[in-house]
């Protein structure tokens, strides 16, 4: 019923958005005399803001077609090197460029598409041969493809590393952004215990919830103040018949987006008001920055119920990894098995999703890893999204990551 109600509302808003967009175009048309005086510019701008906010969103494209390597422009194309039901391994091939560190960027499965890391990929392309986990919207995966939980996530990471290893670099570098820090850290420990030939050479985690007891945020509080059964009963929905994954139980992306929007509602309202003012003034470039951000931010996807509920339990309620009780298909996950994967923990001073100390805990847990293979970096005046996107990521944080990878490449 929850999902059906949302779909009904979404269809109504889609129609309203189309009508508002038509009205905005009419009132902002330079051939329309009302576009220059009276309330035309204000009304047209207001309609444009509403049309943008109410428009339905699909999966965005990365759209990365060029980069610069050694001062020269290089064409970039996307290539899917491994497909699985719930996600694929995508490579950004730099035409004519050979070598360079192989870097797997593990994108969050937390309600947004991997394209949320477009800026992360773009910044690393001149330096590395970049791969990314391109997770699939759970509502589009047929029930016949089975289930997907936290154990499966770990299996996917291992499989992706094995695939990259086939290309000639046995031990790739890994960057886990936010949510995947826990499963990627677990995969690294398991592969370390097995001395797996494709275990990561370096593992960098940014804003990850390794130990959410450290500086708990509003997200952590929400996940702990209610019993596990509450989440199963109140935030899990069934995919409607209109989708390929009809009948699958999921945590809908629209609920995740509503939660994040409500956390900083005032900031989002101010952003839209600023966009409105830019449009009234005819500053399309200024308004475009906000529009592009929200086009990505509001493009959401669903997670399987079993993955979401297991994550709530393991990461936020029982703190299984730092408590030493985490298991993967019945096998204990022992961080002490990480002995030759260099670990870099990066945190943002103003992160309101993963508080200071939550990611750094990974360094303490890796008790058998030499201190020379551990590093911590706290980015001053950086919030959660600023860790992997924006000017501070490009100029302050990415150079730290590049230096770390280069130091351990050979």
């Amino acid at each position: 019923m929850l999902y059906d109600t949302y779909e009904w509302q979404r269809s109504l808003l889609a129609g309203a958005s189309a009508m508002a967009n038509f009205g905005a175009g009419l009132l902002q048309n330079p051939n329309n005399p009302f576009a220059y005086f009276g309330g035309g510019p204000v009304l047209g701008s207001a309609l444009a803001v509403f049309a943008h906010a109410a428009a339905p969103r699909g999966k965005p494209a990365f759209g990365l077609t060029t980069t610069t390597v050694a001062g020269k422009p290089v064409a970039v194309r996307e290539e899917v090197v491994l497909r699985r039901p719930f996600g694929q391994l995508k490579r950004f091939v730099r035409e004519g460029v050979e070598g360079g560190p192989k870097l797997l960027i593990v994108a969050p499965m937390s309600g947004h598409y991997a394209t949320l890391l477009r800026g992360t990929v773009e910044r690393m392309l001149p330096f590395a041969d970049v791969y990314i986990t391109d997770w699939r919207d759970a509502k589009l995966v047929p029930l016949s493809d089975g289930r997907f939980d936290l154990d499966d996530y770990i299996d996917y990471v291992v499989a992706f590393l094995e695939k990259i290893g086939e290309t000639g670099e046995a031990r790739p570098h890994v960057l886990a952004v936010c949510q995947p820090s826990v499963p990627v850290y677990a995969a690294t420990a398991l592969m370390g215990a097995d001395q797996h030939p494709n275990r990561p050479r370096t593992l960098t985690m940014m804003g990850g919830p390794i130990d959410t007891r450290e500086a708990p945020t509003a997200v952590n509080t929400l996940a702990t103040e209610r019993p596990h059964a509450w989440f199963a009963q109140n935030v899990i929905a069934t995919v409607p018949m209109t989708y390929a994954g009809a009948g699958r139980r999921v945590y809908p992306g629209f609920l995740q987006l509503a939660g994040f929007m409500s956390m900083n509602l005032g900031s989002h309202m101010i952003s839209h008001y600023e966009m409105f003012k830019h449009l009234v003034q005819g500053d399309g470039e200024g308004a475009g920055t906000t529009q592009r951000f929200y086009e990505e931010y509001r493009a959401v996807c669903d997670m399987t119920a079993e993955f979401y509920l297991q994550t709530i339990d393991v990461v936020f309620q029982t703190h299984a990894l730092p408590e030493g009780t985490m298991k993967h298909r019945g096998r204990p996950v022992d961080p002490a098995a990480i002995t030759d994967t260099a670990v870099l923990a990066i945190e943002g001073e103003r992160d309101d999703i993963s508080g200071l100390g939550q990611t750094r805990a990974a360094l303490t847990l890796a008790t058998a890893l030499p201190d020379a293979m551990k590093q911590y970096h706290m980015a001053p005046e950086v919030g959660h999204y600023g860790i992997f996107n924006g000017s501070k990521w490009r100029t302050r944080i990415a150079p730290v990551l590049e230096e770390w990878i280069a130091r351990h490449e050979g």
Side-chain angles (χ1 to χ4, degrees):
M1 180 62 73
L2 174 65
Y3 219 128
D4 291 322
T5 302
Y6 165 75
E7 286 295 308
W8 174 75
Q9 180 191 53
R10 188 174 70 90
S11 64
L12 290 180
L13 285 174
S17 173
M19 292 177 63
N21 192 55
F22 173 79
L26 185 65
L27 289 170
Q28 293 172 340
N29 191 315
N31 294 319
N32 181 359
F34 290 101
Y36 299 94
F37 63 89
V42 173
L43 180 57
S45 299
L47 287 172
V49 171
F50 173 80
H52 185 267
R57 310 289 173 191
K59 181 181 180 180
F62 277 98
L64 301 175
T65 57
T66 60
T67 187
T68 302
V69 179
K72 298 179 180 179
V74 174
V76 175
R77 62 178 173 85
E78 297 177 19
E79 177 183 83
V80 176
V81 296
L82 181 63
R83 294 183 189 274
R84 290 288 180 89
F86 289 90
Q88 58 190 13
L89 177 62
K90 180 172 288 188
R91 181 188 182 193
F92 296 88
V93 180
R94 301 173 296 174
E95 299 287 3
V97 177
E98 300 293 337
K102 291 191 179 295
L103 174 64
L104 171 61
I105 299 177
V106 184
M109 183 181 280
S110 56
H112 283 99
Y113 294 97
T115 50
L116 192 67
L117 304 188
R118 183 185 295 104
T120 316
V121 174
E122 184 177 28
R123 176 59 179 81
M124 298 307 297
L125 273 175
F127 172 78
D129 184 3
V130 178
Y131 296 74
I132 195 167
T133 58
D134 190 15
W135 302 113
R136 196 174 177 191
D137 189 341
K139 69 173 173 283
L140 302 179
V141 183
L143 280 173
S144 58
D145 284 327
R147 52 185 277 120
F148 183 90
D149 61 12
L150 194 57
D151 289 334
D152 294 304
Y153 194 117
I154 294 172
D155 291 338
Y156 271 49
V157 171
V158 174
F160 290 157
L161 287 170
E162 290 174 339
K163 187 63 179 181
I164 297 173
E166 294 177 3
T167 63
E169 178 56 63
R171 299 187 60 191
H173 303 270
V174 179
L175 169 61
V177 180
C178 190
Q179 170 271 322
S181 293
V182 170
V184 173
Y185 192 74
T188 302
L190 293 165
M191 296 176 80
D194 296 336
Q195 285 296 287
H196 195 295
N198 304 127
R199 64 193 182 278
R201 188 179 297 275
T202 67
L203 169 60
T204 299
M205 292 166 287
M206 301 198 303
I210 296 295
D211 189 348
T212 58
R213 297 171 298 184
E214 299 287 338
T217 64
V219 173
N220 309 146
T221 302
L222 175 65
T224 56
E225 66 182 4
R226 295 179 175 87
H228 188 266
W230 183 91
F231 292 94
Q233 294 169 4
N234 292 277
V235 302
I236 301 301
T238 302
V239 177
M241 296 301 293
T242 51
Y243 293 102
R248 183 179 294 282
R249 300 285 285 169
V250 298
Y251 174 61
F254 62 81
L255 285 183
Q256 182 82 327
L257 177 63
F260 279 135
M261 293 286 283
S262 63
M263 283 176 56
N264 296 286
L265 185 58
S267 298
H268 292 299
M269 293 178 68
I270 291 173
S271 294
H272 282 83
Y273 179 61
E274 292 298 323
M275 180 171 70
F276 167 73
K277 290 197 296 184
H278 284 304
L279 290 171
V280 171
Q281 296 165 3
D283 181 10
E285 183 176 349
T289 301
T290 303
Q291 288 174 332
R292 286 189 295 273
F293 170 78
Y294 280 102
E295 283 171 2
E296 188 73 52
Y297 191 72
R298 287 200 291 261
V300 293
C301 53
D302 299 347
M303 293 172 268
T304 64
E306 57 271 18
F307 171 78
Y308 174 78
L309 294 174
Q310 191 177 359
T311 300
I312 289 290
D313 176 47
V314 171
V315 177
F316 295 101
Q317 295 195 340
T318 64
H319 314 288
L321 181 60
E323 284 288 338
T325 59
M326 184 175 180
K327 293 184 178 182
H328 171 256
R329 304 199 183 283
R331 180 185 177 188
V333 174
D334 183 10
I338 302 175
T339 59
D340 60 358
T341 295
V343 178
L344 169 62
I346 298 176
E347 297 181 328
E349 181 183 24
R350 297 179 178 174
D351 195 331
D352 59 351
I353 304 296
S354 296
L356 284 176
Q358 294 188 12
T359 311
R360 183 174 52 193
L363 304 178
T364 304
L365 293 175
T367 55
L369 189 66
D371 288 342
M373 299 185 74
K374 299 178 183 179
Q375 182 170 320
Y376 174 68
H377 178 75
M378 193 275 286
E381 301 179 346
V382 174
H384 188 72
Y385 292 97
I387 299 175
F388 56 87
N389 251 325
S391 61
K392 292 176 182 177
W393 147 249
R394 293 191 297 269
T395 60
R396 301 184 192 177
I397 300 173
V400 175
L401 173 59
E402 291 174 336
E403 191 278 331
W404 182 252
I405 291 175
R407 188 194 313 174
H408 297 280
E409 171 66 4

